[in-house]
Amino acid sequence: MSHDSEPTPLSAAPGAPLRGRLRPPGDKSISHRAMILGLLSIGETRVEGLLEGDDVLRTAAAARALGASMERLGEGRWVVRGVGIGGLSDPAETLDFGNAGTGSRLMMGVVGGQPVTATFDGDASLRSRPMRRILDPLRLMGTQVLAEAKGGRVPLTLRGPREAIPIRYETPAASAQIKSAVLLAGLNAPGTTTVIEAAATRDHTERMLRLFGAEVSVTPHGPDGHGRAVALTGQPTLRGTEVVVPADPSSAAFPLVAALIVPGSEITIEGVMMNPLRTGLITTLIEMGADIERLREREEGGETVADLRVRASRLKGVDVPAERAPAMIDEYPVLAVAAAFAHGTTRMNGLHELRVKESDRLAAVAAGLKANGVAHLIEGDDLLVHGDGAAPPGGGTVATHLDHRIAMAFLVMGLATAEPVTVDDGAMIATSFPSFLPTMQALGAGIGE
Ligand code: S3P
């Protein structure tokens, strides 16, 4: 998406306690994968609870351009009719992924492993993000990179081989996107494709590949057993199935932290996915003293979900170990906001991957904290936020750099600072949480234009 439209500044003002119940939108990671595996399957995939945010709609459009047909039956209810592995066709036009890193990188894995040619592009944020981490393993699997922008970025054009070469690949960063791209390319390889990761990252691709009929084995890896070896048997027949998408813990994070920092609040967030590779923020907040209860734990669509009852809490600073980063990689901006209201120092270790998200999130968070009078420090790849337990001044304007999570995190902050907080552009919130504004307003939050 070229983000040509006028920016939409938004402001959040401190006010009354937040009260009520909400269900956040469907998980973004699972929604992308549902569209992609739907494309690669024979027959119908029925999806319930799909996140209809811009990122996922881009992936859906790309799947359609590669041959899938799709029908939207109602809110979040979609049917995808796939073409099967080997059945993809060349898209007529460039696949424009807008702001979507996950959609573009996973689809590069798909195209890179199949005999099709496609060009990938996106907005200014996506054009700045590193793609070599995907292109390097794909080249080993036989993908030709016909064109790429400087430094291995989009726009880039890939041509996949008739059959991919099965590889054993150690990911250079703890990244579910790299792992997933290699596994998706490996679907068209005659033999076993293995991805070794030094630290376990979100496992939605592995789980969903099994759901669609592939054989995937996962074994602990490394001296401490924190890593994983994920082995996929190539050239399976994937069959369309039913996918129920649980609520996204990375979206739930925003109302959750808002309820913790706005005095007197009590809210319930329904149906939140509790996959342990996604719950690092909840673990951290509980260590900080947050009052979060997990209620009605149950299975939904192959994942454990729970309702979270959250009450405003006095927080204290903690040390967040680097090993926890993969389980909360998207949650650091809003954790930094929580830390600004805590008593003492919160040290977040090992945040180098934050520099290559939708924006340089480490720099964007630091600038946002500075603009709102919060004492903090970047030490190497670590972020330290100092709080004295009182509401920070606020009153600043935060540059969001086309990053939805920077926008939402600082709007949450403005609900409890002394003065309102403004973000320069809230348009990108629609990529992951299109109903953020009305959902927050329904809880009583003073967020608006
Ligand atoms: C995602 C993986 C993470 C995360 C992103 C979604 C996924 O990225 O930040 O929002 O769905 O696989 P990395 O794999 O680059 O860490």
Side-chain angles (χ1 to χ4, degrees):
M1 173 171 63
S2 49
H3 178 57
D4 297 332
S5 46
E6 285 292 299
T8 314
L10 294 173
S11 293
L18 305 183
R19 291 285 159 90
R21 303 178 73 86
L22 71 140
R23 187 184 164 95
D27 186 68
K28 184 151 80 74
S29 294
I30 293 183
S31 296
H32 281 300
R33 287 157 173 84
M35 291 289 136
I36 289 173
L37 293 182
L39 160 72
L40 293 170
S41 305
I42 306 290
E44 275 189 9
T45 293
R46 292 187 163 260
V47 190
E48 293 282 334
L50 186 84
L51 164 64
E52 293 176 324
D54 191 65
D55 275 14
V56 174
L57 298 180
R58 299 282 173 161
T59 296
R64 208 179 282 122
L66 289 159
S69 62
M70 268 170 215
E71 210 178 315
R72 182 178 186 270
L73 303 178
E75 202 187 322
R77 291 174 52 228
W78 289 57
V79 180
V80 184
R81 290 181 195 85
V83 292
I85 297 166
L88 273 61
S89 31
D90 284 353
E93 286 170 13
T94 295
L95 304 178
D96 182 350
F97 278 93
N99 195 251
T102 305
S104 61
R105 289 179 171 142
L106 268 53
M107 204 60 103
M108 283 177 202
V110 171
V111 167
Q114 311 266 332
V116 282
T117 304
T119 299
F120 294 76
D121 202 357
D123 68 6
S125 158
L126 196 66
R127 281 183 172 204
S128 74
R129 299 183 69 183
M131 295 299 170
R132 263 197 200 131
R133 50 177 57 201
I134 305 296
L135 303 181
D136 287 348
L138 288 182
R139 282 189 171 104
L140 299 174
M141 299 180 85
T143 310
Q144 292 179 63
V145 181
L146 301 181
E148 66 190 288
K150 204 162 152 241
R153 298 181 200 280
V154 296
L156 60 81
T157 303
L158 302 184
R159 178 185 292 157
R162 196 176 54 80
E163 281 188 332
I165 301 164
I167 60 168
R168 183 180 169 85
Y169 191 71
E170 285 190 33
T171 56
S175 161
Q177 294 179 358
I178 303 177
K179 169 175 66 178
S180 301
V182 174
L183 292 174
L184 289 168
L187 282 172
N188 192 33
T192 304
T193 295
T194 305
V195 180
I196 313 280
E197 46 182 9
T201 62
R202 66 189 68 195
D203 58 358
H204 308 303
T205 302
E206 298 90 303
R207 285 169 179 253
M208 289 180 74
L209 278 168
R210 284 203 196 106
L211 183 69
F212 280 79
E215 216 177 285
V216 183
S217 79
V218 180
T219 44
H221 184 82
D224 50 11
H226 287 160
R228 298 265 166 98
V230 182
L232 164 77
T233 307
Q235 300 183 325
T237 302
L238 300 183
R239 297 199 185 281
T241 184
E242 206 160 296
V243 179
V244 180
V245 186
D248 194 329
S250 299
S251 295
F254 299 103
L256 194 161
V257 169
L260 290 176
I261 62 174
V262 177
S265 297
E266 177 175 333
I267 66 168
T268 301
I269 313 176
E270 295 173 355
V272 182
M273 177 164 58
M274 288 289 121
N275 181 318
L277 294 167
R278 298 287 301 279
T279 49
L281 175 73
I282 294 174
T283 306
T284 305
L285 289 170
I286 289 174
E287 286 174 4
M288 294 172 79
D291 182 349
I292 303 172
E293 277 181 274
R294 286 163 71 140
L295 307 174
R296 287 203 324 123
E297 272 192 39
R298 57 210 185 262
E299 286 289 304
E300 238 179 51
E303 294 279 1
T304 303
V305 302
D307 298 344
L308 302 178
R309 183 154 65 211
V310 187
R311 295 189 180 93
S313 306
R314 289 172 70 85
L315 303 175
K316 64 175 193 298
V318 295
D319 212 80
V320 189
E323 300 79 67
R324 199 177 289 162
M328 54 178 299
I329 194 65
D330 292 333
E331 279 67 82
Y332 286 101
V334 80
L335 175 62
V337 167
F341 291 82
H343 201 278
T345 298
T346 298
R347 182 181 190 110
M348 298 164 232
N349 295 285
L351 304 189
H352 48 275
E353 275 295 302
L354 287 203
R355 297 190 192 276
V356 291
K357 294 297 174 190
E358 284 83 333
S359 66
D360 175 345
R361 279 192 183 151
L362 201 45
V365 166
L369 293 173
K370 185 169 180 219
N372 290 290
V374 179
H376 65 283
L377 188 67
I378 294 179
E379 265 184 21
D381 289 332
D382 305 340
L383 174 64
L384 287 79
V385 178
H386 308 292
D388 58 9
T397 296
V398 178
T400 51
H401 303 285
L402 299 177
D403 190 329
H404 53 135
R405 297 199 204 280
I406 296 297
M408 287 186 279
F410 282 98
L411 288 170
V412 164
M413 184 181 216
L415 297 177
T417 40
E419 296 296 326
V421 171
T422 300
V423 300
D424 67 349
D425 186 11
M428 286 298 137
I429 291 172
T431 62
S432 68
F433 199 159
S435 58
F436 176 74
L437 241 60
T439 299
M440 295 302 291
Q441 287 162 349
L443 298 173
I447 302 181
E449 289 190 15

